[in-house]
Amino acid sequence: MVCGLYWKRSTTQGAVWSIVLGMTSWLLLSYTPLGEVFPSALGGFIMAGVGMLVGSLLPIQGNRSSRRRPPRPRARPRALSGAR
């Protein structure tokens, strides 16, 4: 959540990857003997960060980095004058 709030390049795709990788690794470490070697909460936290980083930087359609469009020109306001 911290990346989503403060990192300008974070995307929805990165948030989804973060949730999926964090939950998967936490469950894997919690319910297998691997959890005795490495703490499950720390593993989930690290993998969630990796998911946010990788998911946000991958250029996939719909991701901000793949939609770089030139800025649209702004219309100039008309000058107000008495003569028409």
Side-chain angles (χ1 to χ4, degrees), residues 2-19:
V2 173
C3 287
L5 291 172
Y6 296 111
W7 188 36
K8 291 182 181 181
R9 294 187 67 184
S10 63
T11 61
T12 304
Q13 175 180 312
V16 171
W17 276 57
S18 175
I19 293 167

Side-chain angles (χ1 to χ4, degrees), residues 5-66:
L5 291 172
Y6 296 111
W7 188 36
K8 291 182 181 181
R9 294 187 67 184
S10 63
T11 61
T12 304
Q13 175 180 312
V16 171
W17 276 57
S18 175
I19 293 167
V20 170
L21 284 178
M23 287 295 292
T24 303
S25 62
W26 175 74
L27 287 170
L28 181 72
L29 290 171
S30 292
Y31 295 108
T32 62
L34 291 174
E36 295 174 8
V37 178
F38 196 80
S40 59
L42 181 61
F45 181 74
I46 290 171
M47 289 308 291
V50 169
M52 178 60 88
L53 182 71
V54 171
S56 292
L57 295 179
L58 278 178
I60 294 184
Q61 187 175 10
N63 201 349
R64 268 192 237 159
S65 61
S66 65

